[in-house]
Amino acid sequence: MTTPTADDTPPADREYARELDAADPLADLRERFVVPEGERYMDGNSLGLCSADAAAALDRVVDEWKELAIRGWTDADPDWFHMGERLGDRMAPLVGARAESVVVGNSTTVNIHTLVGSMLDAHGAGTVLVNDLDFPTDHYAIAAQLRQRGLDPDEHLVAVESGDGRTVTTEEIATALEAHDVDIVFMPTVLYRSGQLLDVPAITDLAHEHDALAGFDAAHSVGVVPHEFDEWGVDFAVWCTYKYLNGGPGALAGLYVNERHFDIDPALAGWWGHDKATQFEMRHEFTPADDAGRFQIGTVPVLSAAPLDGALDVTHAAGIEALREKSVALTEYLVALADERLADLGYSVGTPRNPDRRGGHVALEHPEAYRISEALKDRGIVVDYRPPNVVRVAPSPYYVGFETVWTVVEDLRDIAENEVFTEFDRQSGGVT
Ligand SMILES: Cc1ncc(COP(=O)(O)O)c(C=O)c1O
């Protein structure tokens, strides 16, 4: 397909957007999704949309529950007992991993707890390097794990300070590694606010050069950006499946553990991480699975995992490389239109301009970002506001087309040019 780049200014007319849609090999994918009536949905990095495939997978499991009840654990097709492992196997190619390294279980926050805790124990508890632009739950969980080991987070949770308040450079991480004795580097693959895609292989190498482990929160990249965790030597990773993977609200999370850590003890052990072959012998000694499966904790929440089976059919049918190609084309187009149509109205692009350093969303900065987001929502354009000044626009390649991006930019222009945002109240605090 034609990939516009932010350097060659694309024509800013609707006709050109239609041409891009006509040339889009993934255009038909959106037929599989339910877009809420009258909405333009630019929020797929918060909660991906429901596909017919995901809904059918959930219905199938509900039917199995009705027909088989307890026998569903063994007699459902596929059985429920191995659901975490099986969905992990299906997800492994998306992160460039052998099947045994990936499992679906718990939530992302719980997976940070168990993996960081386990790695701290295995590596000799010490210091974790994060950054000051992280999603908050990462810091909460790591600080709690440090405290449980008698380590003061004020001393042992070190945050790289972003120089520009938007991005974290590999150089800044290198400087922090020189200054502190770090045991685990834990970074996002994509920053949730600015959308910067960090250089995961370079950070992994740096961590290893400093005798530290490299772990990643890949919530904003899995399903829209390809990864090669095995090849890059990443130690561990966690991610959500309800964002670009469209697994449904609160869907189970994914985790990756490099095979060289298959023998470490889970910090949050539970019977679902037991060796499956002997789990029902009900012995009190814990014999963990000999792969990433050991990091599961309790019974797999079957109904929260079921839609992911259908959702993964969609991702695999499209192909992660094609999804990335379309995603880059969409964000390049959005950045170019923002420069052309919005820059004179106080908007600026807070996301890296190099597409290789960009995830699936674009941060549009504006002093009135909050009220602009409210005005967009009033027009059925679903975006996220992220304090203090970001309108986060995520054109998911699964169901957003170029013409929709074009219309959203025209609405952004109208709302600022005609001060439509003044019709909305300023932010009053609390939940946004
Ligand atoms: C980067 C990142 N990590 C973690 C989470 C949340 O994880 P959980 O599913 O445990 O709530 C989010 C949610 O948006 C996120 O953006």
Side-chain angles (χ1 to χ4, degrees):
M1 67 186 295
T2 327
T3 305
T5 69
D7 296 335
D8 344 314
T9 311
D13 58 289
R14 190 169 197 145
E15 206 38 55
Y16 181 66
R18 286 183 174 154
E19 281 171 29
L20 292 175
D21 278 333
D24 172 10
L26 297 186
D28 291 346
L29 211 55
R30 103 187 56 144
E31 309 295 325
R32 293 164 87 149
F33 289 89
V34 184
V35 183
E37 188 74 32
E39 281 187 0
R40 282 167 280 168
Y41 196 77
M42 310 299 277
D43 211 7
N45 62 341
S46 271
L47 177 64
L49 292 179
C50 182
S51 62
D53 311 66
L58 177 59
D59 288 348
R60 188 187 70 217
V61 173
V62 171
D63 287 344
E64 288 168 348
W65 178 22
K66 290 178 192 161
E67 287 157 25
L68 300 171
I70 189 73
R71 284 178 294 121
W73 289 107
T74 48
D75 296 359
D77 185 18
D79 71 70
W80 303 340
F81 186 49
H82 297 93
M83 204 161 192
E85 288 80 1
R86 192 176 57 76
L87 289 173
D89 292 357
R90 296 198 65 200
M91 205 157 358
L94 301 179
V95 294
R98 72 199 64 228
E100 299 77 23
S101 279
V102 181
V103 73
V104 166
N106 319 314
S107 70
T108 301
T109 306
V110 170
N111 285 338
I112 297 171
H113 274 284
T114 189
L115 291 185
V116 170
S118 309
M119 297 289 163
L120 281 171
D121 291 341
H123 202 250
T127 295
V128 183
L129 186 70
V130 290
N131 74 79
D132 65 355
L133 301 177
D134 276 323
F135 191 80
T137 207
D138 300 32
H139 290 208
Y140 305 160
I142 297 170
Q145 288 303 317
L146 288 167
R147 276 195 298 273
Q148 282 170 29
R149 285 159 184 78
L151 298 165
D152 181 358
D154 287 345
E155 201 185 320
H156 291 277
L157 184 61
V158 176
V160 175
E161 274 178 45
S162 159
D164 64 2
R166 298 183 181 89
T167 57
V168 178
T169 64
T170 307
E171 293 68 35
E172 286 166 342
I173 295 171
T175 305
L177 281 167
E178 292 298 330
H180 302 273
D181 187 10
V182 171
D183 296 282
I184 298 177
V185 175
F186 189 75
M187 292 287 152
T189 50
V190 169
L191 283 173
Y192 80 97
R193 192 186 286 112
S194 73
Q196 177 203 4
L197 173 60
L198 277 75
D199 191 340
V200 176
I203 294 166
T204 302
D205 288 347
L206 256 179
H208 292 166
E209 282 162 27
H210 288 81
D211 195 26
L213 301 176
F216 292 90
D217 179 338
H220 282 271
S221 60
V222 175
V224 75
V225 176
H227 306 69
E228 293 296 342
F229 286 159
D230 274 349
E231 187 188 318
W232 298 336
V234 166
D235 291 286
F236 66 101
V238 300
W239 59 91
C240 310
T241 63
Y242 50 72
K243 295 175 183 287
Y244 290 107
L245 284 172
N246 309 302
L252 291 203
L255 68 82
Y256 163 87
V257 175
N258 193 295
E259 63 166 345
R260 61 180 172 270
H261 302 302
F262 281 177
D263 59 347
I264 69 173
D265 288 330
L268 305 182
W271 80 312
W272 221 255
H274 196 280
D275 174 16
K276 283 272 182 283
T278 53
Q279 182 175 334
F280 274 88
E281 290 177 11
M282 301 294 197
R283 295 199 199 121
H284 281 168
E285 333 53 279
F286 179 49
T287 307
D290 58 7
D291 55 21
R294 65 176 49 201
F295 295 99
Q296 296 168 97
I297 302 171
T299 304
V300 60
V302 172
L303 296 179
S304 300
L308 187 56
D309 224 354
L312 284 171
D313 289 343
V314 182
T315 302
H316 287 309
I320 190 65
E321 298 293 340
L323 286 162
R324 172 66 175 163
E325 194 182 331
K326 178 173 175 188
S327 167
V328 168
L330 284 163
T331 56
E332 284 288 85
Y333 183 54
L334 175 53
V335 168
L337 286 181
D339 285 346
E340 217 176 324
R341 300 284 295 155
L342 303 177
D344 60 329
L345 293 165
Y347 291 97
S348 56
V349 174
T351 307
R353 282 167 184 279
N354 173 358
D356 294 339
R357 296 273 64 86
R358 196 188 306 138
H361 73 266
V362 171
L364 291 176
E365 297 177 357
H366 192 285
E368 285 291 353
Y370 174 73
R371 292 200 289 174
I372 289 171
S373 302
E374 293 297 293
L376 286 168
K377 277 185 218 158
D378 191 53
R379 294 176 179 203
I381 301 172
V382 185
V383 294
D384 278 324
Y385 163 70
R386 286 291 175 264
N389 64 345
V390 171
V391 181
R392 207 172 63 161
V393 186
S396 170
Y398 291 79
Y399 40 75
V400 176
F402 293 86
E403 188 176 358
T404 304
V405 171
W406 183 88
T407 66
V408 168
V409 170
E410 288 308 304
D411 277 290
L412 282 159
R413 182 168 180 85
D414 177 55
I415 288 165
E417 192 171 35
N418 297 310
E419 298 194 348
V420 179
F421 62 83
T422 59
E423 295 164 21
F424 296 83
D425 291 338
R426 287 186 194 281
Q427 192 181 11
S428 58
V431 177
T432 57

